[in-house]
Amino acid sequence: GLKKKEVNVLCLGLDNSGKTTIINQLKPSNAQAQDIVPTIGFSIEKFKSSGLSFTVFDMSGQGRYRNLWEHYYKDGHAIIYVIDSGDKLRMVVAKDELDTLLNHPDIKHRRIPILFFANKMDLRDALSAVTVSQLLCLENIKDKPWHICASDAVKGEGLQEGVEWLQDQIR
Ligand code: GTP
Ligand code: MG
């Protein structure tokens, strides 16, 4: 049959933001892990969706592993950047890491699509996607397609909208 187009996605964001939980939800239910633990280094996950064959680099967000991220920038076709909408104290850290990413030579001059998940929208004191977008100054990203969705990765809410946007950017 027709070979599915191979797409490498980098899943980035601070530790505990919900990256692995999101990726796990995107896998077919028979391949989903039951319990999710903090990622050590990174993990490679594969799944297929509407004509595309995804390879996701699910990176650890812990400070000591963030220096691994840049080694995968060159081969990435799309980025998923996850934010814990309830973690107001570290929003500035999430912005710093995003700015470092956007200024990296392997990212800076490319029209690579970036999907943001304002995750943990179920938390009582979660910031809205609009507020997260303002705090991260996303409107300053002029040379790359980007999109932000509120999500609850535990229930799987908001993920499909985001993935559909990403697929439209890649096709
Ligand atoms: P690292 O691998 O350490 O970088 O973390 P991560 O970004 O992969 O986070 P992970 O998916 O391991 O989730 C961290 C914790 O947040 C887990 O206890 C998840 O169950 C929880 N979590 C993830 N998404 C949500 C969400 O949308 N809402 C709530 N309430 N909890 C969530
Ligand atoms: Mg993880």
Side-chain angles (χ1 to χ4, degrees):
L2 286 173
K3 192 160 180 347
K4 291 188 190 297
K5 182 173 173 181
E6 304 268 354
V7 185
N8 295 334
V9 179
L10 311 177
C11 193
L12 309 172
L14 301 187
D15 49 297
N16 198 49
S17 56
K19 299 177 293 298
T20 303
T21 309
I22 289 174
I23 301 309
N24 193 52
Q25 287 280 6
L26 299 177
K27 296 202 284 191
S29 44
N30 62 357
Q32 285 177 11
Q34 287 312 311
D35 22 52
I36 305 248
V37 295
T39 307
I40 305 293
F42 67 95
S43 150
I44 296 179
E45 303 293 335
K46 292 181 186 257
F47 59 88
K48 295 180 174 19
S49 172
S50 60
L52 299 173
S53 184
F54 286 98
T55 299
V56 182
F57 294 78
D58 176 17
M59 307 302 297
S60 167
Q62 288 181 56
R64 76 185 96 153
Y65 295 120
R66 282 181 215 150
N67 61 337
L68 295 178
W69 295 5
E70 65 177 339
H71 298 289
Y72 301 90
Y73 291 170
K74 252 199 199 70
D75 296 322
H77 304 121
I79 293 170
I80 296 177
Y81 196 90
V82 183
I83 301 108
D84 177 347
S85 311
D87 191 356
K88 299 185 183 97
L89 280 177
R90 291 204 301 165
M91 208 53 75
V92 58
V93 184
K95 181 184 189 302
D96 268 2
E97 292 296 353
L98 173 64
D99 290 345
T100 304
L101 163 71
L102 293 171
N103 285 313
H104 191 281
D106 292 342
I107 298 289
K108 199 176 168 72
H109 301 292
R110 292 170 58 202
R111 268 189 65 81
I112 183 168
I114 311 180
L115 170 62
F116 294 91
F117 280 119
N119 193 38
K120 306 200 185 184
M121 67 175 185
D122 56 295
L123 297 181
R124 194 170 28 81
D125 58 346
L127 300 171
S128 70
V130 171
T131 303
V132 169
S133 155
Q134 285 165 347
L135 291 173
L136 298 187
C137 301
L138 299 188
E139 70 280 8
N140 291 346
I141 306 177
K142 310 255 191 237
D143 57 346
K144 293 171 182 48
W146 62 268
H147 184 74
I148 186 165
C149 291
S151 62
D152 173 349
V154 173
K155 293 198 201 69
E157 291 171 8
L159 303 181
Q160 207 48 45
E161 179 206 324
V163 171
E164 274 161 27
W165 176 84
L166 202 60
Q167 285 167 351
D168 286 345
Q169 302 306 310
I170 292 161
R171 249 186 282 268

